[in-house]
Amino acid sequence: MSDPVLSIRNLSVDYIGAEADFHAVRNVSFTIAAGEFFGLAGESGCGKSTIAFAITRLLRPPAIIRSGSEILLDGRDVLALDSAALRDLRWREVAMVFQSAMNSLNPVLTIESQFYDVLRTHTGMSRTAARARAADLLRLVDIPADRLSAYPHQLSGGMRQRVVIAICLALNPKLLIMDEPTTALDVVVQREILERINRLRQELGFSVLFITHDLALMVQVSDRIGIMLEGELVEVDDAQAIYRSPRHDYTRRLWASIPRLGSERTARDAGQ
Amino acid sequence: MSDTTPILALDHVSKSFGRAEARVHAARSISFALHPGRTLALVGESGSGKTTAARLIMREYRPDEGRLLFRGSPVEDGPLGSLKAYRRAVQMVFQDPFSSLNPVHTVRYHLERPLQLHQPALKGAERRAAIAEVLTRVKLDPALILPKYPHELSGGQRQRISIARALAVNPEVIIADEPTSMLDVSVRLGILNLLNDMKRQLGLAVLYITHDIATARYVAEDIMVMYAGQIVEWGETESVLGNPQHPYTRLLLSAVPDPDRRLTETLFDGELSRVDVIRRQSAIDQSEVREIAANHFIRPMPA
């Protein structure tokens, strides 16, 4: 078996408070294999986004990563990198689609400039070459190349989301982190975007860390799933096992709290 | 639908925005009725006109055409003061529990206001009793919660306050616009169960607006699917969701996350592969109505 793309060992993150520290992530370990779609689920405040921010080293005080934590990305020790090496890591090795990514584009720059910004900074590409590359990337996410001259407000929410994903794929990262990438979109658009990412993953071979609280959606797209509760990873298993034979009581309760369509196990019975 | 007379009905109501070439038809001749003790779900994607329907009912918008009927009589033509009775009887629960409560006022203020406005006869002690009762109904402890400010409450607690505020004036109709979409999955069910209990115990008529078909099935006896301002399929929930006939309904259903199917498998053949066609054709005005079964209708999609 080949080495995992991402390997997290004993990760602990605390938010330092005046009276007491908040243990947001407690001793979490998991790996993501090359080309794997890994889901991280749990309710708000359970620490899933904190893990994503730790991997990309975007955590700022009062958050601190406790010593003894280890994050290896493609064999490199992420926690030991200086800022120059981090610059090299972000976008190229790992790219992140933020929650409400549709609002993470700069409103006063055209789509083309936002591609150019990433491509020039990391590869020194010329404007002409960047334009051609950006057009290719937009086609990957089903957006006509003539929209390069558009501003973010001229695109729908779903299109903006797809532009962000295209920018994230610009440098062929090995790991794509998606933090609740589709929660602000409606189901049809959400479905189209996830199908698209899944197909691109198969073509380009990157791994995905997918964070959401929508368990049903997660089972549909993920290979393996980790369930988080109050900073701890309480269960990691194949997606189908998480769905059909969850071992942890919390996983079972999460399922019981979700009304579902076309299933006899609807919450009408499980809810009370 | 039940035989009781509807409390509230929309009769061929239309509303459009913008001018001439860029006209948006947010409601196109929509008709539906709300009955005591029943929930009607209105589902559709963002921009389909769901919230416009809610605003028409709340009298925030006036219809361009059609009528709003309350107990059978048009709302605008009632005697003087009838609108006040209407405003008491029809209450709304909003989507965002973080912005629908005033951050500078306590929970007590939020519940006292509607009572002062709509039941001025109540004395201080009676009013306090009414507030305590309504809080107990939504399963919150009055002594603990009354002095708190919205920022001290969780999203689920805030939404319970919003529901309590709506219930405080003994309404007959509740318009709930995506009441759970901003809440964590683990607390959504509690809010839905609360709405279900209130409907049963108080005989409320509920309009439940959502884009989440699974929760619609959980709370509603009847359902309407809306697209581009038009109700394309409607009827009894089990019939509509069990035997969907309009391509747009089938498209929506195939896109609902379902752990029993991998992303590559779909519920209906090809609906997801012709999203653009379905969207374009479903947006065309269609006056023809076809009956699929008892209490199950569609407006056929033009070929």
Side-chain angles (χ1 to χ4, degrees):
Chain A
M1 194 175 148
S2 61
D3 286 339
V5 165
L6 178 74
S7 161
I8 293 183
R9 257 189 301 242
N10 307 324
L11 177 67
S12 295
V13 181
D14 292 348
Y15 289 91
I16 305 298
E19 281 140 36
D21 297 350
F22 179 74
H23 307 291
V25 177
R26 306 163 191 235
N27 213 15
V28 164
S29 303
F30 65 91
T31 60
I32 301 180
E36 185 176 35
F37 206 119
F38 186 89
L40 204 51
E43 50 194 297
S44 24
C46 72
K48 20 184 224 309
S49 295
T50 302
I51 291 181
F53 279 72
I55 297 169
T56 43
R57 285 278 303 276
L58 288 169
L59 289 176
R60 290 287 171 268
I64 58 161
I65 299 175
R66 289 293 179 193
S67 56
S69 305
E70 186 182 69
I71 299 175
L72 297 180
L73 192 65
D74 208 25
R76 274 211 285 179
D77 183 357
V78 174
L79 299 182
L81 299 179
D82 60 21
S83 59
L86 268 179
R87 245 172 107 80
D88 202 39
L89 176 94
R90 296 189 186 132
W91 297 104
R92 197 183 279 284
E93 302 281 326
V94 54
M96 183 151 160
V97 180
F98 293 93
Q99 189 166 9
S100 72
M102 50 205 262
N103 300 323
S104 63
L105 292 168
N106 188 331
V108 299
L109 295 180
T110 61
I111 302 301
E112 186 191 342
S113 327
Q114 316 209 23
F115 272 100
Y116 179 56
D117 186 29
V118 172
L119 291 168
R120 187 201 49 198
T121 311
H122 290 272
T123 67
M125 214 177 249
S126 72
R127 213 171 241 287
T128 333
R131 165 176 273 272
R133 174 80 177 127
D136 285 345
L137 288 162
L138 276 192
R139 271 192 288 274
L140 277 185
V141 293
D142 262 340
I143 295 176
D146 63 8
R147 302 318 296 268
L148 275 174
S149 53
Y151 287 89
H153 75 270
Q154 295 171 308
L155 306 177
S156 72
M159 283 171 97
R160 285 196 297 247
Q161 202 90 348
R162 281 181 285 159
V163 167
V164 172
I165 291 167
I167 296 177
C168 281
L169 296 177
L171 300 174
N172 292 321
K174 299 192 175 67
L175 177 66
L176 181 65
I177 299 177
M178 299 194 294
D179 187 3
E180 306 262 9
T182 53
T183 27
L185 304 173
D186 48 73
V187 283
V188 178
V189 178
Q190 163 176 288
R191 172 80 186 210
E192 287 176 307
I193 287 181
L194 286 172
E195 274 183 13
R196 168 71 35 183
I197 286 171
N198 200 34
R199 215 159 31 232
L200 288 172
R201 171 180 72 116
Q202 282 155 3
E203 286 165 25
L204 306 174
F206 56 84
S207 308
V208 178
L209 172 59
F210 181 51
I211 296 173
T212 180
H213 60 251
D214 188 337
L215 264 186
L217 177 68
M218 183 164 273
V219 168
Q220 254 189 322
V221 299
S222 304
D223 300 315
R224 281 191 310 141
I225 291 176
I227 305 284
M228 290 200 60
L229 170 63
E230 292 170 7
E232 288 178 50
L233 193 59
V234 294
E235 184 168 1
V236 180
D237 213 332
D238 287 342
Q240 284 302 311
I242 290 281
Y243 171 47
R244 293 182 198 283
S245 48
R247 282 169 300 162
H248 199 279
D249 180 53
Y250 178 67
T251 315
R252 283 193 283 268
R253 278 188 287 137
L254 262 188
W255 277 119
S257 70
I258 304 173
R260 295 215 321 277
L261 206 58
S263 161
E264 294 318 305
R265 281 168 56 192
T266 44
R268 213 180 274 267
D269 321 306
Q272 292 297 318
Chain B
M1 224 156 274
S2 67
D3 298 328
T4 54
T5 39
I7 292 195
L8 186 73
L10 262 63
D11 178 23
H12 294 93
V13 170
S14 297
K15 177 78 191 171
S16 54
F17 299 98
R19 344 179 177 163
E21 67 285 358
R23 206 139 186 89
V24 173
H25 299 277
R28 287 192 281 180
S29 191
I30 59 178
S31 300
F32 58 82
L34 299 173
H35 297 265
R38 285 178 83 84
T39 298
L40 173 62
L42 178 56
V43 304
E45 60 186 47
S46 40
S48 59
K50 309 188 291 290
T51 299
T52 297
R55 290 185 169 165
L56 283 162
I57 292 175
M58 298 315 293
R59 308 286 298 154
E60 208 171 313
Y61 298 149
R62 295 301 160 93
D64 296 340
E65 281 167 50
R67 296 182 307 165
L68 180 61
L69 302 168
F70 182 57
R71 300 182 189 290
S73 40
V75 171
E76 44 267 294
D77 301 327
L80 210 65
S82 73
L83 205 56
K84 187 168 184 193
Y86 179 80
R87 292 218 181 275
R88 178 194 63 78
V90 183
Q91 290 289 322
M92 181 142 182
V93 176
F94 295 92
Q95 174 168 18
D96 184 355
F98 297 87
S99 67
S100 58
L101 298 177
N102 189 332
V104 303
H105 286 299
T106 59
V107 169
R108 175 182 319 222
Y109 174 88
H110 283 96
L111 296 177
E112 265 178 354
R113 279 284 290 170
L115 285 172
Q116 282 167 346
L117 287 173
H118 290 288
Q119 292 174 36
L122 282 190
K123 298 265 184 325
E126 293 166 317
R127 197 158 62 221
R128 278 193 292 280
I131 290 172
E133 190 204 319
V134 81
L135 280 173
T136 314
R137 256 191 204 292
V138 299
K139 302 190 176 71
L140 292 171
D141 182 344
L144 282 178
I145 209 105
L146 277 172
K148 294 208 169 173
Y149 286 89
H151 76 268
E152 298 175 277
L153 309 175
S154 71
Q157 285 174 323
R158 289 183 215 203
Q159 206 56 307
R160 283 174 196 273
I161 297 295
S162 297
I163 294 174
R165 176 174 58 179
L167 294 177
V169 295
N170 301 320
E172 289 153 86
V173 178
I174 296 276
I175 310 296
D177 189 358
E178 303 259 21
T180 62
S181 66
M182 308 276 289
L183 302 178
D184 216 86
V185 269
S186 54
V187 300
R188 283 185 189 172
L189 201 63
I191 296 295
L192 295 178
N193 286 336
L194 181 61
L195 279 175
N196 268 346
D197 292 346
M198 298 302 105
K199 170 185 73 182
R200 273 194 290 268
Q201 291 165 14
L202 306 172
L204 293 173
V206 181
L207 178 67
Y208 176 70
I209 297 177
T210 186
H211 64 263
D212 181 349
I213 301 187
T215 61
R217 183 185 172 209
Y218 184 66
V219 299
E221 287 83 10
D222 301 293
I223 194 168
M224 304 178 282
V225 178
M226 192 164 188
Y227 183 74
Q230 201 164 216
I231 296 169
V232 295
E233 183 159 5
W234 67 99
E236 201 183 318
T237 305
E238 290 306 315
S239 178
V240 170
L241 298 185
N243 180 27
Q245 289 301 306
H246 196 282
Y248 182 73
T249 312
R250 296 158 71 106
L251 171 66
L252 262 189
L253 281 167
S254 2
V256 172
D258 179 352
D260 283 315
R261 284 182 197 82
R262 291 299 290 175
L263 212 50
T264 42
E265 305 161 32
T266 50
L267 190 55
F268 300 105
D269 281 341
E271 250 72 15
L272 279 163
S273 61
R274 45 188 204 112
V275 173
D276 296 337
V277 179
I278 294 176
R279 285 218 161 105
R280 192 172 61 239
Q281 295 301 108
S282 303
I284 298 171
D285 254 321
Q286 171 62 281
S287 52
E288 184 196 338
V289 172
R290 193 178 296 160
E291 183 166 5
I292 299 297
N295 191 17
H296 180 180
F297 305 86
I298 66 167
R299 281 177 206 276
M301 184 174 91

